[in-house]
Amino acid sequence: MIFKNIVLILFLFVSSKPLSMQIINHSNPDKNIFNYKWEFVGDEVMGGKSVGQFNFNSNEGELFYRLKGNVSTENKGGFIQFRSKIEINDPSLKGIKFKVRGNGEKYFVHVRTPFTFLPWQYYFYSFYTQNEWTEIKFLISDFKKSHKLQPSEVLSTKIKSIAFVAYGQDFSAELDIKDLEFF
């Protein structure tokens, strides 16, 4: 009897922990589940010439975000992105997954922590898109740092923002994202 109770308690403890945390808020797509606004940011904030837009789309019941525009490295620019602040309080969340489609170009996920206070400091993960929806899934430990003075390790509970970025070369960007979650 004691063994059964211990097993039941362990089962309830393990099963009560969240296996994932959905970030996109489909009932209010302008904000994420933490009530922070998703926003478009382009390199014009630093004098760049890239142009773009970000919006929420619904197509045949499918809900997704779209980043679209032209990335230009002219005038030391070279990015467009959409981003939001986030708050992860569960240290058991070790990875990120989402579905993506696009125009075959290389894109990035950027996260920032309290240790990335300068604009050129972030952690990044790169991926390529296809015409059909594809799942991207990776561990937080797969992020690479953008600057040598940043700590090498990223903890989920230290991530303060997430961004999807078209970056680094002259190209036309079209990136769709849905089902973003931490697992």
Side-chain angles (χ1 to χ4, degrees):
M1 185 66 166
I2 294 174
F3 180 73
K4 274 186 176 179
N5 289 339
I6 292 172
V7 169
L8 179 60
I9 290 169
L10 285 174
F11 173 77
L12 290 173
F13 175 76
V14 170
S15 64
S16 67
K17 287 217 158 250
L19 298 175
S20 66
M21 178 187 295
Q22 182 79 23
I23 302 299
I24 294 176
N25 180 355
H26 290 294
S27 62
N28 185 2
D30 288 336
K31 296 184 177 182
N32 64 28
I33 63 163
F34 308 107
N35 208 30
Y36 290 115
K37 188 166 182 60
W38 289 99
E39 62 183 348
F40 173 84
V41 179
D43 61 13
E44 70 275 355
V45 298
M46 53 183 251
K49 302 287 185 182
S50 300
V51 294
Q53 61 184 359
F54 158 69
N55 52 44
F56 184 72
N57 290 290
S58 176
N59 184 7
E60 297 178 11
E62 209 169 40
L63 305 171
F64 59 94
Y65 291 105
R66 175 168 286 163
L67 176 67
K68 188 172 184 172
N70 291 309
V71 178
S72 170
T73 57
E74 184 180 343
N75 205 28
K76 298 186 181 183
F79 74 88
I80 59 174
Q81 66 178 283
F82 72 96
R83 70 179 180 196
S84 183
K85 292 180 182 178
I86 59 174
E87 296 174 15
I88 307 294
N89 296 319
D90 185 349
S92 72
L93 298 174
K94 302 291 185 197
I96 299 173
K97 67 180 178 177
F98 53 91
K99 291 187 181 156
V100 61
R101 74 177 172 196
N103 58 355
E105 296 289 346
K106 182 179 183 180
Y107 296 93
F108 299 85
V109 178
H110 287 185
V111 295
R112 295 179 61 86
T113 71
F115 307 110
T116 57
F117 48 88
L118 298 173
W120 54 85
Q121 293 178 319
Y122 49 86
Y123 294 90
F124 68 93
Y125 181 84
S126 63
F127 61 92
Y128 286 90
T129 60
Q130 300 176 21
N131 288 332
E132 294 91 30
W133 287 109
T134 307
E135 184 175 77
I136 304 292
K137 184 175 182 178
F138 62 96
L139 297 175
I140 292 170
S141 61
D142 293 335
F143 276 115
K144 294 178 175 50
K145 60 185 184 175
S146 67
H147 192 271
K148 65 183 176 182
L149 296 180
Q150 293 168 221
S152 295
E153 185 178 18
V154 180
L155 302 174
S156 62
T157 55
K158 295 295 184 189
I159 296 174
K160 300 300 178 199
S161 71
I162 188 166
F164 292 90
V165 186
Y167 167 75
Q169 62 182 356
D170 296 322
F171 73 104
S172 292
E174 186 169 321
L175 175 65
D176 295 343
I177 301 288
K178 69 177 186 174
D179 301 337
L180 170 62
E181 63 184 75
F182 281 74
F183 65 89

